[in-house]
Amino acid sequence: GREYHQKINPVREVDKGAEEIHGMNAAQLKIYPKFEGIVEEFIEFITGTTLIIHNAEFDLAHLNNELSLLGEKNLKNEILFPTY
């Protein structure tokens, strides 16, 4: 019943395909915190939970890469893949 939603400054250009999907470019995202600024809050929110992630393989690869860059461990949460 809980959700976590956070826009993040990607600190790089946004791929045109991604921009078409979510409608935001790097200039628009520049006002949001970088991942390192929300990582503790994010980890606290998901600790001990089952995650429901629409595009899990893609999203987890990126999340675990960002966590690794910050010296954090990869996510070990149970993952549910929603079906629509």
Side-chain angles (χ1 to χ4, degrees):
R2 299 181 332 145
E3 289 184 26
Y4 184 89
H5 180 83
Q6 174 68 57
K7 292 178 182 161
I8 297 173
N9 177 349
V11 195
R12 64 177 182 82
E13 287 302 313
V14 174
D15 177 86
K16 283 290 183 194
E19 185 178 339
E20 289 174 11
I21 291 170
H22 56 66
M24 297 192 81
N25 61 39
Q28 292 167 307
L29 293 168
K30 190 166 59 171
I31 64 171
Y32 296 101
K34 297 174 187 171
F35 185 68
E36 63 196 30
I38 61 93
V39 69
E40 288 181 31
E41 172 187 313
F42 174 70
I43 291 173
E44 181 179 321
F45 184 84
I46 66 166
T47 296
T49 65
T50 298
L51 303 176
I52 302 171
I53 304 175
H54 172 71
N55 195 4
E57 187 175 330
F58 176 85
D59 294 339
L60 287 172
H62 285 284
L63 281 169
N64 284 329
N65 180 61
E66 290 297 322
L67 290 166
S68 175
L69 292 172
L70 296 173
E72 300 286 345
K73 296 178 183 176
N74 282 355
L75 299 179
K76 300 291 186 203
N77 301 63
E78 178 182 0
I79 307 295
L80 294 180
F81 303 85
T83 56
Y84 299 98

